[in-house]
Amino acid sequence: MQENHVRSVIKGASWRMVGTIDTIFLSYIYTGQVGKAFKIGGVELFTKIFLFYLHERIWMRLSFGTEEVKENNEIKIQDKHYRSLIKGISWRIVGSLDTFWIALVINSDSAHPTQTAFYIAATEVITKVGLFWLHERLWLKVKWGAKPEQVLQPGQ
């Protein structure tokens, strides 16, 4: 499915709400400080919206994990479930690296800033892949802002 730029921005913002809440929660667990947890989440609010937008635009250009499905004598392109999973993993790599560096800088005054940043980022790998997959599958059901799919007639 192709989507317009506004849809990509709204989709990124909705994911960021989910992701920021998860980051704040995990940051609080590992730092024990509400202020630091909100700082990490607050910085990510800005960096991740931009990074997510770029990630979405790149994945829109890839045909990996799509399939042609015949529906009402028309052929449509649909995403397979594993595409959403791989897309989630690729995003998590980018997102975890971003989280690690933000947490490292914000926790630089603590006893073990690298360890704390690693724990936050590593835990996100687990929580956010699952959350992203769910978010992605829900957005596939939303048709607003989606460009019409190229419909191929059999034999073309």
Side-chain angles (χ1 to χ4, degrees):
M1 172 187 339
Q2 294 292 313
E3 57 186 43
N4 64 32
H5 291 278
V6 175
R7 177 185 167 99
S8 294
V9 169
I10 299 298
K11 186 176 172 183
S14 70
W15 166 246
R16 198 62 258 138
M17 285 187 269
V18 172
T20 298
I21 291 167
D22 184 56
T23 298
I24 291 169
F25 178 71
L26 294 175
S27 297
Y28 176 70
I29 287 172
Y30 290 111
T31 66
Q33 298 181 30
V34 173
K36 283 187 177 183
F38 276 98
K39 282 182 185 177
I40 293 168
V43 171
E44 279 195 356
L45 184 62
F46 297 103
T47 60
K48 292 257 186 353
I49 287 175
F50 175 72
L51 291 172
F52 185 84
Y53 173 81
L54 289 178
H55 186 264
E56 282 295 299
R57 301 308 293 181
I58 291 167
W59 271 91
M60 282 177 35
R61 296 178 185 271
L62 301 176
S63 62
F64 169 79
T66 61
E67 65 182 340
E68 292 182 356
V69 176
K70 188 173 180 180
E71 188 177 294
N72 298 329
N73 207 26
E74 296 177 342
I75 298 174
K76 295 185 178 185
I77 306 297
Q78 286 186 343
D79 288 358
K80 294 182 177 184
H81 286 272
Y82 73 84
R83 176 184 168 92
S84 297
L85 181 62
I86 300 299
K87 187 176 174 185
I89 291 168
S90 71
W91 166 245
R92 187 69 336 252
I93 291 167
V94 171
S96 291
L97 288 172
D98 184 52
T99 298
F100 176 82
W101 289 110
I102 291 167
L104 184 64
V105 169
I106 291 175
N107 285 303
S108 63
D109 63 342
S110 69
H112 305 287
T114 304
Q115 182 179 5
T116 301
F118 175 78
Y119 286 159
I120 293 167
T123 305
E124 277 192 344
V125 170
I126 298 163
T127 60
K128 286 205 171 78
V129 167
L131 290 170
F132 183 87
W133 179 85
L134 179 62
H135 182 265
E136 187 68 16
R137 297 312 298 177
L138 291 172
W139 268 97
L140 286 173
K141 295 181 184 305
V142 176
K143 300 303 177 198
W144 171 81
K147 293 179 182 178
E149 295 177 1
Q150 181 181 1
V151 178
L152 303 173
Q153 298 298 325
Q156 285 185 318

